[in-house]
């Protein structure tokens, strides 16, 4: 369970950066009303913190998937398909599995994995990564901004989510239902955690991306029913196969409910607590998963359950937009004091590495130029100009 005194934080309204966080009751927390209210407070805060050329007149707005119109959702799907047909920008021979610009993003994520997860740059690296992806979608004809997936709506039945219901305005269906055991994940603590099986497991067979062919990886794909993983040191080679999902309501109910997200935001008083709780980092929490892993394993399948290549499922981008939104809300509840980083530059500091600083560069390889962490710390200043509603 949650290690932080949430209910102390909730007992009595507290003033943050001039804004007042109301005293939410349990119903408001569990229904998502509280989280929506915190989002509104974050909007007001963000609009007072615009810098440089970003202002209230030009700030971009990222929205939840189901609030996009049918036309906007189809536009997003078409732009994703466009990325899968755009030529890879990698030098020939570097990664035979990178068939398109869409795959290039996964190549960069795959080769960076040990330097961007359980690290001090995790939140800002992914913030910048999805921003670069959003810009490429826009170059491929997308007229909107990156949407996010509010997990809390869907914890009881992810396969009925507007994101995954297999309709032509979704990101495709669950995987075909196949008989399989659940995942047994080895955790950094040496313990394992077992899930009941999800509701799919096979190939995505309805709606957009049901014909998507994956090429890169897998790298460390967990096997059903044992802590073993399919380890492949040649994840950059061409391995054509279908997109699989194994949507998992049990995982969602443990780790990505409105309560889980709201407690994360209100219960974390500094970046160490926030970053470790969000990721289930054993150096800061006894919670083995957190909302980050919770969302990934709600999707599951291949590439969804493989942390190196999860970005090859189009749903990754909506999940990480939600991660960024949660970070953005948390930052904006005490903006001046939430500009820092905590951690080092290697996964769980293995091998030991330097402490991350805001002067460090976020490197996304050939996809875009590197930027300093401090230049993406504020989503309405520096390199960025967006808010979430
Ligand atoms: C997938 O491919 C099949 C066969 O080419 C085609 O009939 C079907 O419409 C395609 N589905 C989507 C969602 O593009
Ligand atoms: C897991 O891997 C070990 C070592 O390769 C093997 O002996 C064992 O049979 C595997 N377990 C399962 C359930 O596949
Ligand atoms: C997540 O929230 C649910 C209720 O919405 C609760 O049952 C579960 O224990 C929470 N998980 C964690 C890790 O706190
Ligand atoms: C991160 O914060 C924790 C808790 O304050 C601290 O123990 C740790 O040394 C910090 N890490 C770095 C790399 O500064
Ligand atoms: Cu990642």
């Amino acid at each position: 369970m949650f290690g932080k005194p949430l209910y102390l934080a909730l007992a009595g309204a507290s003033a943050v950066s001039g804004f007042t966080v109301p005293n939410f009751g349990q119903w408001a927390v569990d229904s998502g009303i509280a989280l929506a209210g915190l989002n509104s407070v974050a909007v007001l805060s963000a609009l007072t913190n615009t810098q440089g050329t970003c202002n209230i007149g030009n700030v971009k707005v990222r929205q939840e998937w189901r609030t996009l119109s049918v036309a906007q959702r189809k536009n997003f799907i078409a732009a994703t398909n466009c990325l899968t047909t755009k030529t890879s920008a990698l030098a020939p021979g570097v990664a035979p599995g990178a068939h398109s610009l869409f795959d290039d993003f996964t190549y960069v994520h795959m080769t960076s994995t040990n330097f961007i997860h359980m690290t001090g740059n995790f939140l800002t690296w992914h913030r910048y990564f999805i921003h670069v992806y959003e810009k490429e979608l826009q170059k491929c004809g997308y007229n909107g901004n990156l949407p996010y997936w509010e997990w809390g709506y869907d914890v009881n039945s992810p396969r009925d989510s507007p994101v995954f219901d297999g309709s032509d305005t979704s990101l495709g269906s669950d995987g075909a239902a196949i008989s399989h055991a659940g995942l047994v994940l080895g955790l950094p603590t040496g313990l394992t955690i077992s899930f009941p099986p999800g509701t799919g497991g096979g190939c995505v067979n309805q709606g957009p991306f049901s014909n998507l062919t994956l090429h890169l990886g897998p790298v460390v794909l967990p096997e059903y029913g044992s802590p073993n993983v399919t380890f492949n040191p040649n994840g950059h080679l061409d391995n054509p196969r279908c997109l699989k999902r194994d949507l998992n309501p049990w995982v969602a109910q443990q780790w990505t409910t409105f309560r889980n997200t709201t407690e994360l935001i209100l219960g974390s008083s500094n970046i160490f607590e926030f970053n470790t709780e969000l990721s289930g980092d054993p150096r800061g929490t006894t919670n083995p998963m957190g909302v980050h892993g919770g969302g990934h394993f709600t999707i599951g399948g291949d590439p969804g359950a493989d942390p190196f290549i999860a970005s090859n499922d189009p749903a990754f981008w909506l999940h990480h937009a939600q991660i960024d939104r949660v970070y953005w809300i948390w930052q904006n509840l005490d903006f001046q004091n939430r500009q820092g980083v905590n951690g080092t530059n290697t996964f769980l500091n293995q091998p030991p590495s330097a402490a991350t600083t805001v002067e460090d560069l976020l490197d996304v390889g050939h996809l875009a130029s590197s930027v300093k962490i401090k230049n993406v710390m504020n989503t309405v200043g520096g390199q960025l100009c967006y808010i979430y509603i």
Side-chain angles (χ1 to χ4, degrees), residues 109 116-117 122 125-126 292 296 307 316 320:
H109 187 271
I116 56 170
H117 300 106
F122 167 71
W125 191 90
H126 287 79
H292 172 240
H296 279 299
F316 169 95
H320 264 280

Side-chain angles (χ1 to χ4, degrees), residues 1-2 30 253-260 263 287:
M1 248 312 281
F2 201 73
D30 288 346
Q253 286 160 22
Q254 303 306 309
W255 289 293
T256 59
T257 67
F258 284 120
R259 187 194 299 183
N260 302 149
E263 290 189 348
N287 176 356

Side-chain angles (χ1 to χ4, degrees), residues 210-230:
S210 46
N211 289 347
L212 182 66
T213 302
L214 308 181
H215 296 276
L216 291 163
V219 179
V220 289
L221 190 65
E223 291 172 9
Y224 293 120
S226 88
N228 291 356
V229 298
T230 302

Side-chain angles (χ1 to χ4, degrees), residues 94-167:
V94 168
H99 275 234
S100 67
L101 184 57
F102 181 73
D103 291 341
D104 283 5
F105 279 86
T106 294
Y107 176 75
V108 167
H109 187 271
M110 179 179 93
T111 52
S112 309
T113 293
N114 289 326
F115 313 100
I116 56 170
H117 300 106
M118 305 281 192
T119 50
N121 65 9
F122 167 71
L123 291 162
T124 49
W125 191 90
H126 287 79
R127 169 174 283 177
Y128 185 52
F129 188 53
I130 65 175
H131 167 74
V132 173
Y133 184 78
E134 178 183 47
K135 290 214 295 203
E136 291 298 341
L137 280 174
Q138 290 163 344
K139 287 187 212 161
C140 255
Y142 182 48
N143 301 316
N145 305 307
L146 191 63
Y148 64 90
W149 168 38
E150 171 51 89
W151 317 297
Y153 292 124
D154 296 327
V155 297
N156 292 324
S157 188
R159 57 181 6 244
D160 294 316
S161 166
V163 182
F164 296 115
D165 65 11
S167 66

Side-chain angles (χ1 to χ4, degrees), residues 23-73:
N23 182 8
F24 297 118
Q26 192 66 53
W27 176 82
V29 170
D30 288 346
S31 64
I33 299 284
L35 184 56
L38 295 173
N39 195 126
S40 302
V41 173
V43 169
L44 295 174
S45 167
L47 295 179
T48 66
N49 290 309
T50 55
Q51 291 166 353
T53 55
C54 186
N55 59 59
I56 193 166
N58 63 9
V59 69
K60 302 282 194 296
V61 177
R62 291 184 179 171
Q63 289 174 235
E64 213 277 335
W65 179 252
R66 67 205 82 200
T67 72
L68 299 182
S69 69
V70 166
Q72 287 170 322
R73 279 179 269 173

